[in-house]
Amino acid sequence: MRLSKGDYAVLGMAMLYIMIFFFLQLNIYHTFRSLGTDLGIFTQAFWNTIHGNGIFYNNIEWQLHHGVQTHFGVHNSPILFLLLPAYYLFPRPQTLLFLQTLVIGLSAYPLYLLAREVLRRERMAVLMALLYLFNPALHGINLYDFHAVPFAMPFIFLTAYFMEKENLKAAFISVLLVLSVKEDAGLAVLSLGLFYLLKDGSIFSRSTCRKFCLFMISVSLIWILLSIKLVIPHFATAGYEYTGLYGKSCSGYAYQKILFFLLVNLSWGMLTFLRPKYYLLLTALPWAEMLASCRWEMFVIGTHYPYMVVPLSFISIIYALRDLRPRAVSRIASAGMIIGLLSSAALTPALPFLSLHSNLPVVYWGYEKVTPHHRLLGEITGRLEKSNYRILTQNDIFPHLANNAGTYFIWIDLYRNLHNPGYLTETLSIDIILLDSKLERYNTSVRPQLLRYFKEAGYLRIIETDGIQIYVRKELELDKNLRTLLHTAGLTSQPLQPAQFAAYFAFLGAYGFAGFSRIALDTYKLNDYYCPYNQRQGYHEYVFKGSLGLPVHCLTLTNNQKCTPEFKNKKT
């Protein structure tokens, strides 16, 4: 098959899109804006699967969904099995981000094929692909961590393309792949079946694909019902929980929902309203799923939820343009293209300088500079992830530790057990707690009572630097491996040199030991880092805390001096 200039143009745009948005995805990841509740879930699920720790089991969904043992107890997404080989070869979160960006970018090509087949105008088809790749809702789907649902987008276009070509066998395969991403993907297949059945007349029209359309409608309804009523409840402990998003009064979101609907349509130049019948048949059900919900993330630009609305809307635009008179097509399409591109540039969540504090329903994911703080935290998580310690951390650090089967995140289950220190030490068996007060999710998840809970449960803060805090269990033996781990991350110091020791000893002697209220052996501070009390390698490290608010200092004692309970508690 020989490629045309239009083919090369669309593939070139797709490659440019993939490079730009994979770069932005990596930036989001390295600046700790990725979330455990999305990227972290899938990363740990893939990691556990390839290491025999349960089929798509992850700790976050275990915490969130009443002890569910597999992702299939939350969503029915068998397409994840097709992604396992890629993750097995490259077991990193970045692999998932790249696969998602690759699929979204390349989905412009089947859109182009459909537009070229329906409109018979290659240039117009290229412009449709350009408008698609410029779309802010598409950018939000791409930048909002990793999800299985974007993998449906190219196959939605391919289903329509094969229906147009009357290649029903290929359409059948595409339908199965669309359904495989999630239980609600049946709405996309159902909408396509209704569209091709009714777009030219009534249900009794003599269409060559009428039987296949009825098959699509039937199989989509069966898929949704089986997923919600059988598959997910089989693996879940509390049934299908997402029905709770509906049936409530969400009047407070009415303005946001209307604005979201208008802005999304504005981003494709209002061309969807050329043929309201087509638009309703293709998008009414996915729009209803989003706008009837009480979850605010479902009606903002910048999340993955419009994954069905975006491709289905472009399909409706293509067929609407076909029905126009030839002279009107170019004029109307050009006007819509200009409006769509300009509004897309203003609404895209990818540009940080447009992240205005306004009431627009947009979640921005623009570029942020990677700071030394991010690099230090990345070094710490990189070391901890490879350890065998069980770790508790906050939502935006979790993805960096998700390739550790013993990583958990701070959620409401901890606050429900504030009266029960055993939940942390026995149920979760946490060894290390890693926090960072400079990250956004710290203030939304870590409360003062939780820090008190850590102390009551027997955890000691051994490191605090630049907002990064590390707690360990009191009874945890700080063996050589952990010491080496912290040292290689730049967080431990070497024993004091003789000159340093003499200076500290002289300082303490000047004030006299009577000036200190107690000797605490939990932590010591040196060079702006809190480091663990350690009795290994021939020296001891202590904290002397002054009663007059004096700074914490470090002493290194010799091998001959013993660390006894009497000495620990001695007051001088």
Side-chain angles (χ1 to χ4, degrees), residues 14-25:
M15 291 299 106
L16 181 61
Y17 172 93
I18 291 167
M19 288 188 291
I20 293 173
F21 278 83
F22 183 54
F23 169 77
L24 290 175
Q25 278 275 40

Side-chain angles (χ1 to χ4, degrees), residues 413-421 449-451 453 456:
D413 61 322
L414 288 174
Y415 288 94
R416 289 171 178 165
N417 287 277
L418 289 178
H419 63 286
N420 177 24
Q449 60 265 38
L450 189 63
L451 299 179
Y453 176 57
E456 293 168 0

Side-chain angles (χ1 to χ4, degrees), residues 21 25 96 104 130 139 145 148 254 356 359 393 425 450 454 498 502 513 524:
F21 278 83
Q25 278 275 40
L96 301 180
I104 292 176
L130 176 63
H139 300 168
D145 283 348
L356 304 176
N359 293 323
T393 191
T425 58
L450 189 63
F454 294 158
F513 281 99
Y524 73 95

